[in-house]
């Protein structure tokens, strides 16, 4: 226990025995003030005693104050991501260093702004992503060389609780994105991206924030869109 008095010598709180007398106060040395320099740790009752002042906080030798928490930077916006992919797509040395494969897409992970997820992707002729979305992440992408085509839906789909949807007329959009062209998009953007060239590779830069928690993949037959698979980061990293 933390009590300074032995348990065997302290009377119970309800005892009628008188409390021991306070020890005598030693005489004040000559030339010193008659008042102590700091209040005692436990003052006895006295009608003339002044209120004690708060104790000062002291640090142990070698200790240092805890630094204030650093402010959390704001998450990148769609405009921030678009500016980033545009800047990276203009880096001709980086774009030329990406290995290209005639049989499949290639990619390299990049450090996106503000902790976002970014990728440099190579597209052989005729390759594509299939229909998919990026769940709760926003994003942007830019073609660095060659040309890409984006097919997208101008409609916000229900986020969960369905397997098959019949799309309304007029929701399909198509964009041709040659080198130096790109776009940004919001959450739950459903699209497919492809390199329709019969003989030329394309290279593009992509960024997402927050880093992709999942990708939902769809199949499509005419106006019918069907959820086929949900991928997690461990499936593509």
């Amino acid at each position: 226990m933390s009590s300074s008095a032995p348990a065997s010598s302290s009377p119970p709180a309800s005892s009628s025995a008188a409390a021991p007398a306070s020890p005598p106060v030693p005489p004040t040395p000559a030339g010193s003030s008659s008042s102590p320099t700091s209040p005692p740790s436990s003052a006895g009752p006295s009608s003339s005693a002044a209120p004690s002042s708060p104790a000062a906080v002291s640090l142990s030798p070698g200790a240092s104050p805890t630094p204030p928490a650093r402010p959390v930077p704001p998450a990148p916006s769609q405009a921030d991501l678009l500016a980033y992919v545009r800047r990276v797509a203009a880096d001709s040395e980086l774009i030329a260093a990406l290995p290209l494969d005639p049989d499949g897409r290639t990619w390299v992970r990049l450090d996106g702004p503000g902790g976002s997820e970014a990728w440099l992707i190579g597209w052989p002729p005729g390759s594509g992503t299939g229909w998919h979305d990026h769940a709760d992440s926003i994003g942007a992408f830019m073609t660095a060389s060659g040309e890409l085509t984006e097919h997208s839906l101008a409609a916000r789909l229900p986020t969960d609780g369905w397997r098959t949807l019949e799309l309304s007329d007029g929701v399909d959009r198509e964009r041709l994105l040659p080198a130096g062209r790109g776009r940004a998009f919001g959450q739950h953007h459903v699209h497919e991206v492809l390199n329709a060239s019969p003989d030329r590779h394309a290279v593009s830069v992509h960024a997402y924030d927050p880093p992709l928690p999942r990708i939902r993949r769809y199949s499509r037959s005419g106006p019918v869109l069907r959820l086929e698979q949900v991928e997690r980061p461990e499936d593509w990293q």
Side-chain angles (χ1 to χ4, degrees):
M1 303 295 288
S2 59
S3 172
S4 60
S8 59
S9 62
S10 299
S14 59
S15 172
S16 59
S22 301
V25 178
T28 302
S32 65
S33 169
S34 60
S35 300
T37 58
S38 61
S41 58
S42 58
S46 171
S47 60
S48 61
S52 59
S53 55
V57 176
S58 61
L59 297 173
S60 302
S64 58
T66 302
R70 294 182 178 180
V72 178
S77 64
Q78 293 182 39
D80 294 330
L81 297 180
L82 187 59
Y84 167 80
V85 297
R86 178 179 290 112
R87 184 169 64 253
V88 175
D91 186 340
S92 57
E93 184 175 348
L94 176 65
I95 302 307
L98 177 68
L100 300 178
D101 186 336
D103 298 321
R105 289 190 300 155
T106 53
W107 51 82
V108 173
R109 179 80 181 256
L110 305 173
D111 293 325
S116 60
E117 178 178 338
W119 298 88
L120 181 63
I121 301 178
W123 308 73
S127 62
T129 62
W131 287 94
H132 67 282
D133 71 12
H134 310 96
D136 295 325
S137 297
I138 63 172
F141 69 99
M142 178 80 58
T143 305
S145 67
E147 181 177 83
L148 293 175
T149 301
E150 183 200 36
H151 298 146
S152 63
L153 300 179
R156 188 182 180 100
L157 305 184
T159 56
D160 289 297
W162 64 277
R163 295 288 299 183
T164 303
L165 286 177
E166 183 168 347
L167 302 173
S168 302
D169 292 337
V171 299
D172 285 289
R173 298 290 185 271
E174 180 179 283
R175 292 173 185 242
L176 298 180
L177 302 170
R181 293 283 303 278
R183 67 159 302 171
F185 52 83
Q187 297 175 328
H188 309 291
H189 177 65
V190 179
H191 70 169
E192 67 170 352
V193 180
L194 58 108
N195 177 12
S197 171
D199 54 12
R200 185 180 179 190
H201 269 80
V203 176
S204 58
V205 185
H206 303 244
Y208 311 97
D209 190 78
L212 294 173
R214 57 180 175 164
I215 292 177
R216 292 177 292 198
R217 296 199 175 275
Y218 307 96
S219 62
R220 183 170 179 187
S221 177
V224 178
L225 190 71
R226 179 180 176 83
L227 176 63
E228 297 289 353
Q229 183 180 3
V230 178
E231 296 179 359
R232 306 289 178 181
E234 56 268 23
D235 297 321
W236 64 79
Q237 294 181 358

